[in-house]
Amino acid sequence: MQVLAGSACPLGSELSGGVCNNWGSILASNGNGHILLSGRDLSATHKLQKAELVEKLSYTPPSSSHPVYQTICARIANLIERAAPRPPGKILVKETDVFLYPSGMSAIYQVHQMLLDWRGLESAIVGFPYEVTIKMMEAYGPSFKFYSLGTDEQIHEFELYLESKAKKAQGPFLQAVRCECPSNPLLWTVDLERMRRLADQYDFVVIVDETIGSLPTLMFWTLQIFVVLNPNSRYYTSLKTSLGDFYTSDLYVNDAIQLEINSRDFLQRAAQLNSTAEDHANYLHPFASDPSSVVNAVHYPKKSTSVQRYKARMRQATDDFTTGYGCLLTVASASVFFDNLDVRKGPSLGAHITLAQPYVQMVLQKQKK
């Protein structure tokens, strides 16, 4: 089960020290996998509260020349460069290095098509990605290598594979490696420094999706509903040319306008998301070591053995933003925990309320063992 922290306390709950205080009644267990409810009737339904419309949008015809696109791209470029190291000779990201898409999956697909146009070679995935990415790569292009856990042992296997292929290949034989930071659902951080060294040695592109870590927190040229090309990469010119050859702005202009409005306070919202998820993880984690608890494990970057790798990618804290560990945690638990969890249920990352979803049952039914 996954908990997707919100930027406000869940409806029907009270905020106490950053933790919604309905956890206490949920976690009391009789040791037989049953929850002993106390204090609140968790079956009570919440009444939907009417949301006030902050800004009402009038219809705007689709137009890629609308200034809102430039505004969003400039905002993303500024977020990438804020609180980031600036060694001598570093080229800063510009708004023209940012490409907008109507969805994350659209961005993933278009980048894959761009790489196929660029090289048309095999790819690799290190660490478990967004599950639709796997299906997309199975459907389009050559085969790919998949190292689902992204552990040091699996990266060693990958390195041996690269060594073997390099002995037989005449020129490049791999186009890209995809990683997530952190991965979903185990929130594991791959050894990206080692991956960078392998990429330099064997001539391939590293693609990092840091949707869960979030742009203000981690230092990456990123892949979300937008793609940012690294102007310091040796592949920058060829990749930008290839991507630009077939790029069209399919992000509907009214969606872009709403996206611009919603992202004006992005730093504040991201900080609250980080804080809420960390408070939940800190509260839940001790129950995983209690044999009588229905919580078996809590996966969260701060609690992971790969936490130092995550910290190595974190930006420095500033007066306007405190870095954190993202808004997602995965709880391995009995179904009774999810059934009685007093938050709204559904899949939406970065919402204003905390949500929970039975991730494995929803997404990985066929892959379950």
Side-chain angles (χ1 to χ4, degrees):
M1 185 209 74
Q2 290 189 320
V3 177
L4 302 92
S7 55
C9 193
L11 293 177
S13 304
E14 296 76 40
L15 196 64
S16 175
V19 180
C20 296
N21 63 10
N22 57 341
W23 289 115
S25 59
I26 294 170
L27 293 167
S29 171
N30 64 1
N32 296 317
H34 298 101
I35 298 293
L36 301 177
L37 301 180
S38 60
R40 295 189 60 189
D41 178 9
L42 298 181
S43 64
T45 57
H46 298 300
K47 293 183 178 180
L48 292 177
Q49 298 178 348
K50 292 183 179 179
E52 294 183 0
L53 187 61
V54 178
E55 294 195 39
K56 190 172 183 179
L57 301 176
S58 59
Y59 174 75
T60 307
S63 172
S64 60
S65 62
H66 195 287
V68 71
Y69 296 103
Q70 182 179 359
T71 300
I72 295 172
C73 290
R75 183 170 297 161
I76 292 169
N78 289 335
L79 284 170
I80 287 177
E81 293 297 349
R82 66 169 294 280
R86 295 191 178 181
K90 177 186 176 183
I91 303 173
L92 301 183
V93 173
K94 304 182 294 294
E95 62 189 59
T96 53
D97 297 324
V98 181
F99 297 81
L100 300 176
Y101 294 93
S103 68
M105 200 60 238
S106 174
I108 291 170
Y109 171 79
Q110 293 296 340
V111 167
H112 185 57
Q113 291 300 314
M114 177 265 291
L115 291 170
L116 291 176
D117 178 70
W118 176 56
R119 278 190 176 174
L121 299 175
E122 186 179 60
S123 297
I125 300 175
V126 179
F128 208 90
Y130 179 50
E131 53 91 22
V132 182
T133 300
I134 301 173
K135 296 176 182 177
M136 181 271 296
M137 295 187 70
E138 289 173 341
Y140 301 99
S143 61
F144 65 95
K145 302 292 290 183
F146 184 26
Y147 301 88
S148 60
L149 297 179
T151 59
D152 291 346
E153 292 76 15
Q154 287 196 340
I155 294 178
H156 180 66
E157 291 178 24
F158 178 51
E159 187 169 3
L160 293 177
Y161 170 75
L162 293 173
E163 291 176 1
S164 174
K165 290 282 288 187
K167 292 177 182 178
K168 305 173 185 177
Q170 300 292 326
F173 55 88
L174 194 74
Q175 63 184 16
V177 169
R178 293 175 176 268
C179 308
E180 292 195 4
C181 185
S183 66
N184 185 10
L186 297 181
L187 289 307
W188 173 266
T189 302
V190 170
D191 188 346
L192 292 169
E193 296 294 335
R194 186 176 180 184
M195 200 59 59
R196 178 69 267 161
R197 292 194 298 270
L198 291 174
D200 291 338
Q201 181 177 353
Y202 293 103
D203 190 21
F204 58 81
V205 172
V206 177
I207 302 171
V208 179
D209 185 336
E210 48 73 89
T211 301
I212 295 171
S214 85
L215 186 59
T217 297
L218 301 177
M219 296 180 291
F220 287 114
W221 290 271
T222 185
L223 178 63
Q224 295 186 14
I225 66 163
F226 51 86
V227 173
V228 181
L229 295 179
N230 181 0
N232 299 279
S233 169
R234 58 175 168 165
Y235 308 110
Y236 172 74
T237 300
S238 58
L239 290 180
K240 189 166 186 178
T241 299
S242 183
L243 186 59
D245 283 346
F246 57 87
Y247 174 75
T248 57
S249 181
D250 293 328
L251 178 61
Y252 184 54
V253 67
N254 277 11
D255 290 339
I257 291 171
Q258 191 62 59
L259 180 62
E260 189 279 321
I261 293 171
N262 290 350
S263 63
R264 290 175 186 175
D265 61 347
F266 186 51
L267 286 179
Q268 178 184 352
R269 292 176 63 182
Q272 183 61 62
L273 291 166
N274 285 339
S275 176
T276 301
E278 185 172 352
D279 286 339
H280 289 350
N282 288 340
Y283 188 87
L284 286 169
H285 191 260
F287 290 94
S289 58
D290 182 355
S292 66
S293 172
V294 294
V295 175
N296 299 318
V298 176
H299 300 285
Y300 186 64
K302 183 180 179 181
K303 307 298 182 181
S304 171
T305 55
S306 65
V307 63
Q308 293 304 321
R309 293 174 187 164
Y310 184 96
K311 286 183 176 180
R313 310 309 308 172
M314 291 175 73
R315 300 178 189 273
Q316 295 295 317
T318 58
D319 292 339
D320 59 346
F321 184 75
T322 301
T323 56
Y325 297 90
C327 63
L328 180 71
L329 59 145
T330 299
V331 181
S333 64
S335 59
V336 68
F337 176 80
F338 176 80
D339 293 342
N340 289 281
L341 186 59
D342 192 17
V343 298
R344 296 196 181 280
K345 309 299 170 58
S348 182
L349 198 65
H352 68 290
I353 58 173
T354 296
L355 300 170
Q357 64 169 340
Y359 185 80
V360 173
Q361 284 74 13
M362 289 179 61
V363 176
L364 302 171
Q365 274 288 351
K366 293 182 179 179
Q367 291 85 354
K368 284 199 304 181
K369 294 183 179 179

